[in-house]
């Protein structure tokens, strides 16, 4: 009798372990990544909306690519929380050093963690930035890393971090 209990318990443990492994994010991510062509296209469209609005210096349209409670950290390490704060920050920088800046962000990788959450890496180039003395700074290159979330069928940026690569000597 003890032997049967041991086997039954071992079977239960194996079943639970298998259920945990099959429901793990990594397992879902693989399946989602294969079937996410429409979502990948939609995410790339949000990136295009982001950098096109940025290049038009439209703080409101740029901020609308973010969730209401998004976190934004730019190349200078300035952090903003929430769409309204992000919009105010963008309006300020568009009125200053980035008033004639243009940017492009080229998606290099999308990694789905679930059907509603993805991490995206993009190469960034910003040209037209002005120095304090009004001269144009050479194009700035960097990496933009975002967490994207799908809300009501639309993808938004929920966490945004970008770093600037050092200039070549």
């Amino acid at each position: 009798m003890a032997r049967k209990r041991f086997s039954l318990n071992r079977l239960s443990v194996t079943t639970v372990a298998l259920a945990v492994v099959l429901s793990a994010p990594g397992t879902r991510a693989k399946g989602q990544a294969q079937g996410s062509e429409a979502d990948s296209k939609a995410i790339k469209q949000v990136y295009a909306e982001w950098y096109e609005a940025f290049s038009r210096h439209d703080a409101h349209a740029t901020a609308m690519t973010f969730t209401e409670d998004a976190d934004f950290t730019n190349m200078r390490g300035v952090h903003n929380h929430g769409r309204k704060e992000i919009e105010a920050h963008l309006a300020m920088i568009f009125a200053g050093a980035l008033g004639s800046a243009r940017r492009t962000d080229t998606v290099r990788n999308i990694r789905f963690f679930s059907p509603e959450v993805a991490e995206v890496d993009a190469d960034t180039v910003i040209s037209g930035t002005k120095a304090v003395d009004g001269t144009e700074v050479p194009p700035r290159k960097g990496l933009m890393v975002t967490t994207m979330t799908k809300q009501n069928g639309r993808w938004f940026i929920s966490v945004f971090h970008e770093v600037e690569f050092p200039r070549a000597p």
Side-chain angles (χ1 to χ4, degrees), residues 10-28:
R10 200 163 108 185
L11 178 61
S12 297
V13 169
T14 303
T15 302
V16 169
L18 183 59
V20 168
V21 168
L22 291 176
S23 66
T27 305
R28 284 195 307 263

Side-chain angles (χ1 to χ4, degrees), residues 39-141:
D39 284 321
S40 293
K41 185 177 178 180
I43 286 170
K44 289 175 183 177
Q45 180 59 40
V46 171
Y47 264 70
E49 291 169 13
W50 149 257
Y51 70 75
E52 288 168 1
F54 186 102
S55 295
R56 287 191 318 271
H57 314 110
D58 184 337
H60 180 73
T62 306
M64 291 306 293
T65 62
F66 289 85
T67 60
E68 285 289 335
D69 64 345
D71 284 296
F72 173 92
T73 306
N74 71 7
M75 289 180 173
R76 302 282 188 232
V78 175
H79 176 261
N80 300 109
H81 177 74
R83 187 184 285 158
K84 288 180 183 179
E85 196 174 301
I86 293 167
E87 182 175 347
H89 173 75
L90 291 168
M92 180 192 69
I93 63 174
F94 292 156
L98 297 179
S100 58
R102 301 194 56 78
R103 80 179 283 151
T104 56
D105 297 292
T106 307
V107 172
R108 70 158 94 158
N109 183 52
I110 300 173
R111 179 177 180 194
F112 289 92
F113 292 104
S114 78
E116 292 84 26
V117 179
E119 184 273 335
V120 184
D121 301 329
D123 293 316
T124 297
V125 178
I126 302 174
S127 59
T129 302
K130 301 290 184 187
V132 176
D133 66 2
T135 60
E136 191 168 310
V137 174
R140 301 160 57 201
K141 296 180 182 182

